[in-house]
Amino acid sequence: MELVALQLNAGASWPANQDRITALLERLPPRRPLLVQLPENAVVFGNREAVQEVAEPLGDGPVQDCLAQWAKQLGIWLVVGSMPTRIEHSDKLHASCLVFNEQGERVACYHKLHLFDVDVADGHGRYRESATFMPGNELCVVDSPFGRLGLSICYDLRFPELYRALRDQGADILMVPAAFTRVTGKAHWLPLLQARAIENQCYVLAAAQVGEHAGGRQTWGHSLILDPWGEICACLPDGEGLISASLDQHRLDSVRRQMPVAQHARLRAVWRDKE
């Protein structure tokens, strides 16, 4: 079983991004089953107006039709890092991670929990996702041929309690599609991903945006696949492209068996004793 992460330099035009993704999908390894992840903002990476223009109701629209068609035609499990989806009776959107199986059926959807409202010392400076998006309020773990996939998006990575909850729900692979800024990525991307892999003894699949984008945005790239011991299986530091690595179920089982941290965790017992 093979894990694949696509690294993109997406922009504000869905047709242009569609062409970029199509070109990378043509380079997929032939092995099946194949789990392919696109980064955050893979469909559109632009200002509020560009995002609103591309946004679709969940389950309805030409963009989602295209995503489903890719999964079906290529016979892959496709995780779309994020795309904007509409919320009924609201001018806000969700940043939604969508999962399609090899038949092109959408089997899961996760709305980003933690919105990136921060100030960064880069060319863009001020980030306020809450101006456009509304946070989700549910976790999502989905069964697949590769194991249980725990879904997350980018800024979620800074909240370890989310990943512990995903592991508690049986996650084997943590999905972390992202558009980390160059400044924060250089400082924290790798150590945070390794921590989530090690703490939860899960594979981590992290497809990233890379390079210069409109509005002065700069993204870090360095798409990664990590094993449950936190070791790097594959990395693409710069440029568009893809990385792949084999999923080793024996490796996952061995790490969890030799150091059973999930069974040793006692914090909930402490809380119960104090009630």
Side-chain angles (χ1 to χ4, degrees):
M1 292 187 180
E2 200 82 2
L3 310 177
V4 177
L6 268 60
Q7 186 158 285
L8 294 176
N9 176 249
S13 165
W14 160 239
N17 295 333
Q18 185 179 18
D19 289 343
R20 290 176 180 272
I21 297 168
T22 298
L24 290 176
L25 291 175
E26 290 174 352
R27 295 165 50 187
L28 289 177
R31 294 175 292 280
R32 297 295 184 272
L34 199 64
L35 177 63
V36 180
Q37 184 191 90
L38 306 181
E40 182 183 29
N41 302 322
V43 167
V44 58
F45 198 4
N47 59 24
R48 178 183 174 87
E49 290 72 25
V51 171
Q52 288 279 0
E53 183 177 347
V54 174
E56 297 176 345
L58 185 61
D60 181 26
V63 173
Q64 291 169 87
D65 289 344
C66 174
L67 300 170
Q69 187 176 42
W70 276 334
K72 184 176 182 178
Q73 288 183 343
L74 296 170
I76 61 174
W77 276 67
L78 181 64
V79 179
V80 182
S82 80
M83 69 164 287
T85 59
R86 298 198 176 279
I87 303 171
E88 192 173 3
H89 309 305
S90 176
D91 62 348
K92 296 285 184 74
L93 308 170
H94 280 311
S96 303
C97 177
L98 308 181
V99 182
F100 297 88
N101 66 17
E102 71 272 15
Q103 283 83 42
E105 302 163 334
R106 179 171 58 81
V107 295
C109 174
Y110 163 75
H111 302 311
K112 188 176 184 179
L113 257 65
H114 302 98
L115 300 183
F116 193 57
D117 286 4
V118 305
D119 299 317
V120 176
D122 65 4
H124 189 77
R126 181 180 173 87
Y127 296 83
R128 294 294 182 270
E129 282 189 334
S130 63
T132 303
F133 296 99
M134 184 179 294
N137 57 14
E138 293 183 356
L139 303 182
C140 185
V141 179
V142 58
D143 288 321
S144 80
F146 314 88
R148 286 175 62 76
L149 312 179
L151 305 186
S152 69
I153 302 172
C154 198
Y155 189 48
D156 285 335
L157 183 59
R158 294 185 181 272
F159 301 87
E161 64 274 16
L162 167 61
Y163 296 91
R164 178 49 54 91
L166 294 175
R167 172 66 200 278
D168 287 346
Q169 292 190 15
D172 300 305
I173 307 174
L174 301 176
M175 313 299 287
V176 194
F180 251 60
T181 73
R182 185 174 297 173
V183 171
T184 59
K186 183 177 181 180
H188 298 148
W189 173 244
L190 178 57
L192 285 172
L193 287 170
Q194 287 184 308
R196 300 297 89 85
I198 295 165
E199 292 164 348
N200 299 291
Q201 299 176 317
C202 289
Y203 276 90
V204 171
L205 186 57
Q209 292 282 351
V210 65
E212 308 286 334
H213 307 267
R217 297 192 70 165
Q218 302 169 311
T219 51
W220 177 236
H222 291 78
S223 295
L224 282 163
I225 303 173
L226 301 173
D227 79 0
W229 196 245
E231 294 185 353
I232 297 173
C233 302
C235 177
L236 180 59
D238 199 15
E240 290 192 320
L242 60 83
I243 55 173
S244 65
S246 296
L247 174 68
D248 186 344
Q249 185 64 47
H250 295 295
R251 174 71 163 162
L252 180 67
D253 294 340
S254 175
V255 168
R256 292 180 174 184
R257 182 177 61 255
Q258 292 175 16
M259 191 176 294
V261 294
Q263 291 93 312
H264 292 163
R266 298 199 64 252
L267 199 55
R268 289 183 178 176
V270 172
W271 291 336
R272 285 197 304 270
D273 291 343
K274 291 185 180 296
E275 290 179 353

